[in-house]
Amino acid sequence: LSLHDALPISAGLISFAVTSYVVRAIREPRHWIAALPLILLLAMAALDWLWRRHRVAALAAAAAGLALFPFAFYRQPVRGFTAMAAQLPRPGRFLVSSPNGWSEGCFIAAASLTEPRPSSTILRATKVLARTNWNGDRYAALAATPEEMERLLDENAVGTVVAHTPGDEPPAFAHHELLVRTVRESGSWKRCGVAGEVEAYCRAAAPRYAPKPLRIDLRPHIGREIEEGLR
């Protein structure tokens, strides 16, 4: 790399920052990881330029950069998603919910990796039980009572509810708390699996409401709704 490479790298960083600002999808630190390769390339270009002029200064800058780089050791906690995916018969139609929405994707990944060809339908509670934007703002739950929640589960043809229920994390979304309370207390559902912080509830009675095509309102995101084609 040379200093001449800094211009396209900087343009990439600026494009990333501007696009992310417009989309409003950079609130969480994990979203910034896409900028890390560009930052490292820009640092290498700067070190190359400095090395050609003053090698001692370049070595000192590299040492300072390594010393100040925000390293962190992370150990992935065992939540129970993989074990839960192995317990449940598949393919199936699941609804996965978590107190803050972040761990819904964990079950989706675990279930997909344990199927030779991903064939289950997995609904995210933050998408079918509530309306919100990319960052979780402008939140509105679609059910306010257990009866309304049961209707949503029936109309979305949910066969199994997978709930992440960590004891030390209070729900940030009202729909999660109502969902867990509904399936625990309703005679239409029974607990059919537990693994770590994750529990599953399967249907114990036939749905009372006819299924409808799944509709996800993405107008705040992409300006349109998407609808499932029922077979």
Side-chain angles (χ1 to χ4, degrees):
L1 291 174
S2 66
L3 193 60
H4 296 290
D5 299 310
L7 182 59
I9 296 172
S10 300
L13 276 173
I14 293 172
S15 298
F16 171 82
V18 171
T19 302
S20 300
Y21 178 80
V22 173
V23 175
R24 300 287 185 180
I26 56 173
R27 175 171 299 180
E28 300 176 35
R30 64 188 177 92
H31 295 151
W32 286 94
I33 196 170
L36 184 58
L38 293 172
I39 294 173
L40 292 177
L41 287 173
L42 191 61
M44 291 174 64
L47 282 175
D48 179 74
W49 176 83
L50 189 58
W51 178 264
R52 297 173 188 274
R53 285 155 179 77
H54 200 294
R55 294 190 174 186
V56 175
L59 290 173
L66 290 173
L68 297 175
F69 192 84
F71 291 102
F73 293 97
Y74 177 76
R75 183 175 182 179
Q76 180 68 38
V78 178
R79 303 288 187 179
F81 295 103
T82 301
M84 176 57 70
Q87 290 183 27
L88 300 174
R90 281 168 292 116
R93 191 174 177 92
F94 305 93
L95 173 73
V96 58
S97 182
S98 67
N100 293 290
W102 63 266
S103 57
E104 293 174 348
C106 298
F107 178 76
I108 295 173
S112 299
L113 289 172
T114 54
E115 295 183 1
R117 179 184 179 92
S119 53
S120 294
T121 299
I122 306 177
L123 313 179
R124 297 187 60 162
T126 49
K127 301 297 183 288
V128 299
L129 302 183
R131 289 195 181 95
T132 184
N133 63 8
W134 289 118
N135 292 318
D137 299 328
R138 301 176 184 175
Y139 171 83
L142 299 182
T145 65
E147 176 66 25
E148 292 177 353
M149 179 62 70
E150 291 247 33
R151 186 181 189 112
L152 282 176
L153 295 175
D154 289 354
E155 291 179 345
N156 285 296
V158 176
T160 305
V161 173
V162 178
H164 181 208
T165 54
D168 58 347
E169 187 174 348
F173 295 134
H175 70 262
H176 177 76
E177 186 175 16
L178 179 59
L179 171 66
V180 173
R181 178 158 55 92
T182 298
V183 295
R184 283 177 176 174
E185 298 176 356
S186 172
S188 299
W189 299 86
K190 65 176 181 179
R191 194 162 79 162
C192 55
V194 59
E197 301 175 348
V198 188
E199 55 186 355
Y201 291 84
C202 301
R203 284 197 176 275
R208 290 179 294 165
Y209 302 96
K212 295 182 178 180
L214 174 65
R215 297 177 63 91
I216 299 179
D217 186 1
L218 294 178
R219 285 174 295 182
H221 313 303
I222 60 175
R224 59 179 296 185
E225 288 185 324
I226 58 175
E227 180 175 315
E228 175 187 31
L230 293 181
R231 291 176 294 179

